[in-house]
Amino acid sequence: MATKPDHYTGSDIQVLEGLEAVRKRPGMYIGSTGPRGLHHLVYEVVDNAVDEALAGYCDLIDVTIHEDNSVTVVDNGRGIPVDKHPKEKIPTVEVVLTILHAGGKFGGEGYKVSGGLHGVGVSVVNALSKRTEVTVCRDGGEYRICFERGKTVEPLTQIGKSKKTGTTVTFWPDPDVFTETTVFEYETLANRFREMAFLNRGLKIVMHDLRTPEDSPCRNESFQYQGGIQDFVKWLNDGKETLNKPIYFSDEQPAGVVEVAMQWSTSYSTASVLAFANNINTHEGGTHMDGFKQAVTRTLNDYARSHGILKEKEANLTGDDCREGLAAIISVKLHDPQFEGQTKTKLGNTEIRPLVQNAVAQGLGEFLEENPTAAKRIVGKASSALKAREAARKAREMTRRKGVLDSFALPGKLADCSSKDATESELFIVEGDSAGGSAKQARDRKYQAILPLRGKILNVERAGLHRSLSSETISSLITAIGTNIGDDFNADAARYHRIVIMTDADVDGAHIRCLLLTFFYRYMPELIDRGYIYIAQPPIFGLKKANSSKGKVERYIYDEGSLNRVLKEMGGADKWNVQRYKGLGEMDPSQLWETTMDPETRTFLQVNIDDAAEAERVVSELMGDQVEPRKEFIQKHARDVRFLDI
Ligand code: 1YM
């Protein structure tokens, strides 16, 4: 990467607020004190290093998760300045770490990662860590400063000489703040850093998880993509049959920079169009996404008309038709991004819409003219999507006429709850009639409904909308939930605000859970966004006293790994009779209630598509045409699902 002269002067820093506020109301600054907030601490530190890379001074970022769950981030940038801050009269690095919103170019030049979602600065990380250590190599020296819960405990000291430059930050998240967990999840961090590396061509981010065995791939995984977002779409389409080579174009205007990569595959999904603003995944879309969609639809229609593929009398291709099977990355960088929406992940800047629109109209238009074979395939795919949509609509009308999707005709298998208040109602989707029977006896019928599914549900990824709808299992699911799907989907009509997937703790159960998640991901993603979808956690073992085969279960164990530890804690294996629950049906109703359904004692995992890219990929890798990866995944993850965030 190019190096530029160092323009920094201490007075560029603006000081806004103190750190006490952060410890008092951490949620205001990092969204939550749950796992999401915890992981944000790492993003915040890495974002600073990425900013240094975007400014052209750094090309390597190294992230280590230590055995004690502390995290170290190292970069080879200029190093945070250590000179005395003219206004605060303490070292600038201390200002950066202890004063809220202290940053270099606030509102100044350059496109920063921070200033985005929770771009609150590294001082927030310091405030919420029980200890933070910062080492800076700069101006020939190596300097160190340490903090505890935001307060300086070891002032800045020169600890040696160094010819290198760069910053190292190590922090230990404060368990008093992150009461739920302080354990970092490798996969969550890796997904974010892979994305960062895709979005910033050439940037190298290396990860080490020292909690894993020495031969584990997580000990040293490196993300670097010379192809940038073109590599991103290739990665999204991994394992799929594609219709064109990735199309790439970019434009720079006073309003900002736009980069787009796009590639169609034979898949039916429309979920792989991802938009980013200043490296932040704008899940809720916004002006860049709108501009992109409009331009793609218009450009494909224009091409189809002018080349006689769409006849005069035929209807236009819709946006959904044009985006079926499309994987695309829209990445914009702008000076002053406005983030709106429920989760602050919707870009609001109106000047970005025409910027993206023009770039796409020109870039995609040229590609189609220059690549007639690919163009024909792409437009052909869109027009068969149009035909399939027409057919699906007719099928839907037919079923509606028969009353199947009519909300007054609830499926016969559903044991509904008596409450009509969706906010307190729960739907348990269970596998098979026998587990369904247990669950029906176990439930609190006032607000818990049970829907037993017979056997496997259809693989919606491969079947497509039309066939999925004619499956009885799927239509009973849709009717029970009440939202309908497709153009008629209405999240507000959901009859339950907790929809709980309750499958057996075995491979079949994991498979059914994946199929159900695919279904929700494809047809009711808004329910996932709203946090309505959960996964029940039934126990896998029950321990009874060894000498009483009948006696009551003294202890339940929910994960495979802790059996031996618990046995040891409870006085050794021969004292206990270990029962493995292969299915929910093996528990009697009172056990099922106590372990899995009782709001007082149960735990649920909340399904959260934090990383749409990863979810889309896992789903299609698992549910697509290739059998082998699916088998492997299910064997490896019989109990956990990778795209879950709790
Ligand atoms: C592992 C985390 O924070 N790197 C980092 C931070 C800064 C700089 C370089 C930097 C920025 C500037 C000038 C500038 C920061 N400096 C500041 C402040 N890595 C990590 N690397 N010189 C160095 O923006 O002008 C805030 S962050 F405010 F001191 F300039």
Side-chain angles (χ1 to χ4, degrees):
M1 281 189 193
T3 47
K4 294 184 186 167
D6 184 342
H7 286 307
Y8 165 82
T9 60
S11 60
D12 288 346
I13 297 182
Q14 293 172 15
V15 174
L16 297 175
E17 229 185 292
L19 279 197
E20 273 83 278
V22 180
R23 283 190 65 84
K24 226 177 258 162
R25 308 186 67 187
M28 289 255 306
Y29 298 87
I30 53 164
S32 81
T33 55
R36 272 185 100 150
L38 178 76
H39 289 81
H40 264 294
L41 301 183
V42 189
Y43 306 154
E44 207 61 63
V45 178
V46 171
D47 281 358
N48 263 359
V50 173
D51 283 341
E52 187 68 355
L54 291 183
Y57 300 103
C58 157
D59 62 5
L60 179 64
I61 300 171
D62 188 289
V63 182
T64 304
I65 313 171
H66 298 277
E67 274 181 341
D68 65 354
N69 272 301
S70 60
V71 170
T72 298
V73 183
V74 186
D75 72 43
N76 65 350
R78 288 167 292 180
I80 304 180
V82 291
D83 59 342
K84 195 188 270 178
H85 188 264
K87 195 167 135 225
E88 302 294 329
K89 314 285 185 227
I90 54 173
T92 303
V93 57
E94 190 170 356
V95 173
V96 171
L97 268 291
T98 56
I99 298 180
L100 198 59
H101 281 177
K105 309 163 206 134
F106 263 94
E109 46 164 328
Y111 304 110
K112 303 204 98 186
V113 184
S114 39
L117 189 50
H118 295 297
V120 281
V122 72
S123 62
V124 168
V125 178
N126 189 21
L128 302 179
S129 295
K130 66 179 184 211
R131 187 176 168 86
T132 309
E133 297 176 359
V134 180
T135 313
V136 171
C137 292
R138 197 180 159 112
D139 308 327
E142 183 175 2
Y143 303 84
R144 194 176 113 107
I145 181 166
C146 303
F147 310 87
E148 280 174 15
R149 301 193 160 90
K151 300 233 154 63
T152 310
V153 292
E154 292 168 40
L156 186 74
T157 329
Q158 181 164 3
I159 55 171
K161 289 185 182 168
S162 176
K163 287 193 181 123
K164 291 186 286 190
T165 64
T167 306
T168 302
V169 174
T170 302
F171 66 94
W172 287 257
D174 188 349
D176 296 345
V177 175
F178 300 95
T179 46
E180 208 177 307
T181 178
T182 52
V183 179
F184 290 102
E185 192 159 333
Y186 179 83
E187 210 58 51
T188 304
L189 296 175
N191 287 338
R192 169 75 181 154
F193 299 143
R194 185 186 300 108
E195 194 174 277
M196 277 286 195
F198 278 132
L199 292 168
N200 300 286
R201 185 199 309 268
L203 173 65
K204 184 168 180 178
I205 305 182
V206 185
M207 283 191 71
H208 315 275
D209 187 347
L210 303 186
R211 301 166 304 183
T212 58
E214 265 176 55
D215 54 355
S216 151
C218 318
R219 274 288 178 135
N220 188 1
E221 191 172 16
S222 157
F223 305 112
Q224 185 179 34
Y225 304 98
Q226 300 303 351
I229 60 171
Q230 269 175 293
D231 287 350
F232 202 162
V233 293
K234 279 191 207 158
W235 182 80
L236 287 172
N237 278 337
D238 201 12
K240 291 182 190 157
E241 191 188 322
T242 56
L243 304 187
N244 62 291
K245 291 218 172 69
I247 308 168
Y248 173 86
F249 43 88
S250 64
D251 192 14
E252 182 159 5
Q253 296 288 337
V257 184
V258 54
E259 263 192 291
V260 175
M262 50 203 296
Q263 183 180 39
W264 275 268
S265 74
T266 55
S267 137
Y268 293 112
S269 153
T270 55
S272 293
V273 178
L274 309 176
F276 297 83
N278 291 17
N279 289 322
I280 287 154
N281 191 336
T282 37
H283 292 284
E284 295 172 279
T287 50
H288 51 347
M289 181 69 109
D290 297 343
F292 173 84
K293 286 181 175 176
Q294 283 162 2
V296 170
T297 310
R298 174 167 300 175
T299 309
L300 289 195
N301 273 299
D302 285 353
Y303 183 88
R305 296 256 177 234
S306 62
H307 290 74
I309 304 170
L310 267 186
K311 301 283 176 301
E312 212 170 303
K313 275 192 234 140
E314 287 177 300
N316 264 351
L317 304 164
T318 67
D320 281 331
D321 298 336
C322 295
R323 292 190 303 277
E324 192 184 275
L326 174 62
I329 304 296
I330 306 130
S331 171
V332 299
K333 301 216 168 98
L334 60 167
H335 289 289
D336 187 19
Q338 304 294 319
F339 293 100
E340 304 170 347
Q342 257 187 350
T343 54
K344 292 268 173 273
T345 57
K346 181 173 182 186
L347 185 69
N349 303 59
T350 52
E351 70 279 14
I352 293 300
R353 192 198 320 265
L355 173 73
V356 178
Q357 232 167 3
N358 294 335
V360 174
Q362 186 172 348
L364 179 60
E366 273 171 20
F367 174 86
L368 295 175
E369 292 302 340
E370 286 163 15
N371 300 273
T373 318
K376 215 180 249 165
R377 275 193 225 127
I378 292 167
V379 176
K381 161 97 179 155
S383 46
S384 45
L386 185 149
K387 291 190 186 101
R389 189 166 48 77
E390 282 292 304
R393 188 177 54 78
K394 285 196 188 118
R396 212 159 50 222
E397 269 167 13
M398 287 240 303
T399 39
R400 201 180 287 142
R401 235 170 280 139
K402 280 190 290 177
V404 179
L405 282 181
D406 184 331
S407 63
F408 295 105
L410 290 168
K413 300 229 133 225
L414 175 75
D416 207 1
C417 54
S418 58
S419 169
K420 295 285 166 255
D421 176 358
T423 59
E424 65 169 12
S425 299
E426 304 182 337
L427 175 67
F428 285 80
I429 303 168
V430 298
E431 174 188 349
D433 288 336
S434 91
S438 285
K440 275 181 204 171
Q441 289 177 49
R443 68 178 175 145
D444 179 334
R445 58 173 60 241
K446 178 157 189 287
Y447 63 91
Q448 293 183 321
I450 311 293
L451 180 66
L453 297 181
R454 196 182 287 136
K456 297 254 154 116
I457 82 158
L458 199 71
N459 183 343
V460 294
E461 155 83 16
R462 274 190 293 180
L465 184 65
H466 188 178
R467 256 185 64 212
S468 303
L469 273 175
S470 49
S471 132
E472 195 194 314
T473 323
I474 303 254
S475 64
S476 66
L477 200 55
I478 300 169
T479 321
I481 293 170
T483 55
N484 219 319
I485 57 168
D487 296 343
D488 304 321
F489 178 82
N490 173 14
D492 293 329
R495 301 176 62 249
Y496 314 90
H497 285 193
R498 277 189 289 275
I499 297 167
V500 187
I501 301 173
M502 187 161 77
T503 54
D504 292 343
D506 60 6
V507 171
D508 276 346
H511 190 194
I512 293 172
R513 189 170 60 222
C514 278
L515 291 169
L516 283 167
L517 286 172
T518 309
F519 168 78
F520 287 118
Y521 180 68
R522 288 272 182 270
Y523 294 130
M524 302 182 173
E526 198 180 333
L527 297 191
I528 303 181
D529 284 342
R530 290 190 178 201
Y532 290 179
I533 312 290
Y534 296 85
I535 290 176
Q537 296 288 287
I540 2 183
F541 300 108
L543 304 189
K544 290 181 186 174
K545 289 228 171 69
N547 45 17
S548 67
S549 65
K550 270 199 179 146
K552 80 177 211 327
V553 179
E554 306 267 337
R555 177 85 180 246
Y556 293 100
I557 296 173
Y558 294 82
D559 65 306
E560 195 93 36
S562 56
L563 177 64
N564 287 334
R565 182 178 53 77
V566 173
L567 280 174
K568 218 182 260 168
E569 259 172 41
M570 292 182 59
D574 47 4
K575 290 208 163 69
W576 297 95
N577 211 328
V578 181
Q579 186 190 359
R580 178 189 271 276
Y581 302 115
K582 286 195 217 74
L584 299 166
E586 290 180 25
M587 271 181 278
D588 64 42
S590 70
Q591 290 175 320
L592 187 59
W593 166 254
E594 182 188 344
T595 58
T596 319
M597 295 175 74
D598 179 359
E600 300 289 325
T601 48
R602 71 190 182 193
T603 45
F604 283 170
L605 300 181
Q606 190 174 42
V607 179
N608 175 338
I609 313 184
D610 197 16
D611 190 335
E614 178 66 4
E616 156 63 13
R617 218 179 71 94
V618 169
V619 166
S620 58
E621 195 178 296
L622 288 182
M623 306 306 176
D625 299 330
Q626 295 165 4
V627 179
E628 214 33 53
R630 175 159 61 244
K631 242 165 81 188
E632 259 170 44
F633 177 91
I634 290 168
Q635 280 162 359
K636 208 164 113 206
H637 298 267
R639 273 195 67 84
D640 58 37
V641 180
R642 228 182 2 185
F643 46 93
L644 290 182
D645 190 13
I646 303 147

